[in-house]
Amino acid sequence: MSFRFAGIPDLAEAPSVAVVVDVMRAFTVAAWAFARGAEKIVLAETLNAALELTRGNPDWVALKDGAPVPGFDAVNSPGLVRDMDLTGRTVVQKTTAGTVGALAVGDASLVLCASFVVADATARLLRAERCEDVTFVITGEDGNADEDLACAHYVARRIGDVRAEAAEFVSRAGRSRAAADLTDGLRRGYQGIHPDDVALCLEVDAFPFALRASREDSLMVVRPVMPPAPGS
């Protein structure tokens, strides 16, 4: 299995297999949404598109980056989503990096959305699919976000070595600019940030499922999928 690590601007065409990485915070939030009972997540291209989807589907939950604004029910914070009851709900998610990256590779034959909380499940699913070429889409900082690169490197390492340890990769992510920005934003009192957000984003293998995105009619939809059990 060969690996490529690319930013969103580097994607001239959709790869055959794409792992879209957004650790802080889109795909940590997505995993928590499923843990809180969400049925599916619809990725929106714009804020207006997200609002239009929820206007047509009043039971759906709209989620965005930054501070709360009218029309949106939640913000892109794992600490805040952790306290929501999303049982049976559809979440519409629009963020500045993660959702953009997943939509950019929507034509790939396999699209997985990844963060540390689903890292091992992602690696096991890729191993089970016997993928030959995997492109890790590093969504933050035009492909240079160290927290996303660290997670991608950990997943790649885990594919080949099921006993690979996460500590060095988590440490890198914890020193990233994104982690520092979240910590600074919390100190400054910015809305849309929970005190536990950084710690939750650095939690490894918190959930047993991977996040698979695929087109359903005209929408890009993420659903949880269970990979084969370890050793199977």
Side-chain angles (χ1 to χ4, degrees):
M1 191 180 297
S2 63
F3 304 120
R4 177 190 178 209
F5 303 89
I8 298 172
D10 302 322
L11 300 171
E13 58 185 27
S16 58
V17 176
V19 180
V20 187
V21 186
D22 189 332
V23 171
M24 296 187 185
R25 297 169 282 174
F27 297 140
T28 303
V29 167
W32 268 103
F34 288 120
R36 298 302 299 151
E39 179 185 350
K40 66 178 183 283
I41 295 174
V42 176
L43 305 181
E45 292 189 8
T46 66
L47 295 176
N48 286 336
L51 291 176
E52 185 65 27
L53 284 166
T54 54
R55 275 193 291 267
N57 300 277
D59 292 335
W60 290 15
V61 176
L63 182 154
K64 64 175 284 292
D65 277 331
V69 299
F72 283 85
D73 310 283
V75 293
N76 192 45
S77 159
L80 295 173
V81 170
R82 177 184 57 179
D83 295 331
M84 298 180 70
D85 181 2
L86 296 171
T87 303
R89 308 288 294 274
T90 292
V91 175
V92 180
Q93 187 180 32
K94 169 66 179 90
T95 70
T96 56
T99 61
V100 175
L103 289 165
V105 294
D107 291 331
S109 60
L110 175 63
V111 180
L112 301 179
C113 301
S115 60
F116 278 111
V117 295
V118 293
D120 182 62
T122 303
R124 283 192 281 125
L125 187 59
L126 289 166
R127 196 182 309 121
E129 293 284 337
R130 300 184 182 277
C131 304
E132 293 185 2
D133 301 301
V134 177
T135 296
F136 288 91
V137 182
I138 310 303
T139 60
E141 300 177 34
D142 290 333
N144 296 305
D146 208 32
E147 75 282 1
D148 293 342
L149 282 164
C151 182
H153 292 156
Y154 173 60
V155 172
R157 178 81 61 85
R158 193 81 177 181
I159 292 170
D161 180 3
V162 297
R163 290 183 292 273
E165 296 291 337
E168 66 176 282
F169 303 100
V170 171
S171 179
R172 278 176 57 192
R175 297 191 303 269
S176 68
R177 187 169 80 178
D181 286 348
L182 283 173
T183 301
D184 184 61
L186 184 66
R187 181 178 60 80
R188 293 173 180 267
Y190 293 164
Q191 292 184 296
I193 303 173
H194 188 279
D196 294 340
D197 276 359
V198 171
L200 290 173
C201 290
L202 299 178
E203 190 173 1
V204 180
D205 304 331
F207 305 112
F209 50 80
L211 305 175
R212 185 167 189 166
S214 60
R215 295 198 186 279
E216 298 184 16
D217 297 324
S218 61
L219 301 177
M220 192 70 170
V221 176
V222 181
R223 296 183 185 271
V225 57
M226 294 297 295
S232 63

